[in-house]
């Protein structure tokens, strides 16, 4: 997948067999790049951006995840909950659904009993629905304590849910060692999850499985492989 920004000389190539990294020393350009990609993640396509998959232009709006805050991971967001409910619907067998229904009937009787204490003509309008029953449980994915473990968990979530075309990590290299970044790269590639690194600093030669563009303060571009 090629990410083309009309103010850059080189295309950004996002693949699941290598990691592409953009290291931009120019703060104005860096802010612009991150802003355009972040807008895409929120459903807005900037006119400076085009994305191609095998020469066919594709719309990735809302199908890209940009991660900037490494201290507040949201593993209980609505997208994850909806996907968990959908997957549970496909794995819960009919016997368990029948048990859930029986428990729901017991709860309904208790509610109806207490409704009689209110001086209003109140009725329960919904019968048993598995989706609604599961939603009450408020399923969430447990966060880890270490940054690297949370990043690996993000890869696991994408491998399972298939929610996004690719993930974008902003200034992640300032938080991880080379060894940890290599581990993240290997894990993402092994699970065929595409990631793009955006950093406002330069980190020398390419790491294993990495290709990069370096943009210096004067907007000169250097491709490293």
């Amino acid at each position: 997948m090629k990410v083309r920004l009309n103010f850059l000389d080189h295309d950004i190539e996002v693949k699941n067999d290598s990691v592409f990294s953009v290291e931009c020393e120019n703060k104005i350009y860096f802010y612009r790049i991150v802003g355009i990609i972040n807008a895409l993640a929120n459903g807005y396509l900037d006119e400076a951006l085009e994305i191609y998959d095998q020469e066919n232009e594709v719309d990735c709006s809302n199908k890209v995840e940009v991660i900037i805050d490494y201290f507040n991971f949201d593993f209980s967001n609505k997208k994850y909950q909806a996907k968990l409910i959908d997957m549970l619907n496909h794995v819960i067998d009919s016997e368990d659904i029948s048990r859930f229904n029986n428990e729901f009937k017991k709860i309904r009787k208790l509610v109806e009993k207490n409704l009689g204490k209110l001086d209003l003509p109140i009725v329960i309008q919904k019968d048993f629905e598995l989706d609604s029953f599961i939603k009450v449980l408020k399923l969430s994915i447990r966060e880890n304590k270490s940054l690297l473990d949370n990043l690996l968990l993000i890869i696991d979530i994408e491998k399972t849910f298939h929610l996004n075309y690719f993930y974008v990590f902003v200034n992640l290299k300032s938080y991880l060692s080379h060894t940890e970044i290599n581990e993240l790269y290997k894990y993402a590639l092994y699970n065929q999850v595409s990631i793009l690194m955006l950093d406002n600093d330069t980190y020398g030669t390419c790491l294993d499985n990495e290709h990069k563009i370096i943009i210096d303060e004067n907007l000169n571009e250097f491709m490293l492989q």
Side-chain angles (χ1 to χ4, degrees):
M1 184 169 286
K2 291 183 179 180
V3 178
R4 186 168 295 162
L5 291 164
N6 64 13
F7 53 90
L8 295 182
D9 295 334
H10 297 86
D11 290 340
I12 297 168
E13 297 200 33
V14 183
K15 303 177 180 179
N16 59 17
D17 60 356
S18 63
V19 174
F20 203 95
S21 177
V22 178
E23 297 175 355
C24 181
E25 294 179 325
N26 186 287
K27 297 185 185 302
I28 294 175
Y29 256 45
F30 180 73
Y31 183 79
R32 187 179 181 190
I33 293 168
V34 174
I36 289 172
I37 300 296
N38 191 58
L40 178 69
N42 288 291
Y44 304 100
L45 181 61
D46 191 285
E47 61 182 11
L49 175 68
E50 295 176 349
I51 299 179
Y52 294 89
D53 185 10
Q54 296 182 351
E55 306 308 319
N56 296 314
E57 190 169 2
V58 295
D59 182 5
C60 293
S61 301
N62 293 311
K63 296 289 287 181
V64 173
E65 187 78 18
V66 177
I67 301 174
I68 299 174
D69 184 354
Y70 300 105
F71 300 93
N72 298 287
F73 289 98
D74 185 9
F75 291 122
S76 59
N77 64 56
K78 291 182 179 180
K79 284 197 302 183
Y80 291 171
Q81 289 183 355
K83 197 67 177 180
L84 284 168
I85 291 170
D86 181 61
M87 294 180 74
L88 270 175
N89 269 324
H90 288 85
V91 299
I92 296 175
D93 59 37
S94 58
E95 290 183 3
D96 284 337
I97 292 175
S98 179
R99 292 189 185 99
F100 290 151
N101 193 14
N102 289 335
E103 294 302 317
F104 175 81
K105 289 177 180 177
K106 293 176 184 178
I107 294 170
R108 180 178 180 130
K109 285 181 180 179
L110 288 172
V111 173
E112 288 173 339
K113 174 184 173 183
N114 286 279
L115 285 176
K117 299 174 184 178
L118 304 177
D119 191 21
L120 290 169
I122 300 172
V123 295
I124 298 175
Q125 296 184 359
K126 273 197 173 184
D127 291 324
F128 174 77
E129 292 179 353
L130 185 59
D131 282 9
S132 300
F133 195 77
I134 296 173
K135 283 179 183 177
V136 173
L137 301 176
K138 292 186 177 180
L139 302 175
S140 65
I141 298 169
R142 185 173 61 251
E143 185 175 341
N144 292 303
K145 291 184 177 180
S146 82
L147 173 56
L148 180 59
D149 286 341
N150 281 320
L151 296 171
L152 299 181
L153 178 56
I154 287 171
I155 303 301
D156 287 334
I157 291 169
E158 178 58 28
K159 176 186 67 174
T160 304
F161 289 170
H162 303 292
L163 292 171
N164 298 290
Y165 282 107
F166 58 91
Y167 282 74
V168 182
F169 297 106
V170 179
N171 280 332
L172 179 57
K173 290 180 179 178
S174 62
Y175 294 99
L176 296 179
S177 68
H178 281 192
T179 300
E180 290 173 321
I181 294 170
N182 273 322
E183 185 174 345
L184 173 65
Y185 286 3
K186 289 178 183 177
Y187 198 71
L189 299 180
Y190 177 79
N191 289 289
Q192 295 193 307
V193 174
S194 300
I195 63 176
L196 169 63
M197 305 287 282
L198 301 179
D199 287 274
N200 189 213
D201 203 351
T202 53
Y203 292 88
T205 57
C206 294
L207 299 174
D208 294 341
N209 304 303
E210 182 183 58
H211 304 291
K212 72 167 68 174
I213 295 173
I214 294 176
I215 305 170
D216 69 15
E217 187 65 44
N218 298 315
L219 304 180
N220 297 306
E221 293 182 28
F222 307 93
M223 176 71 79
L224 303 181
Q225 298 186 16

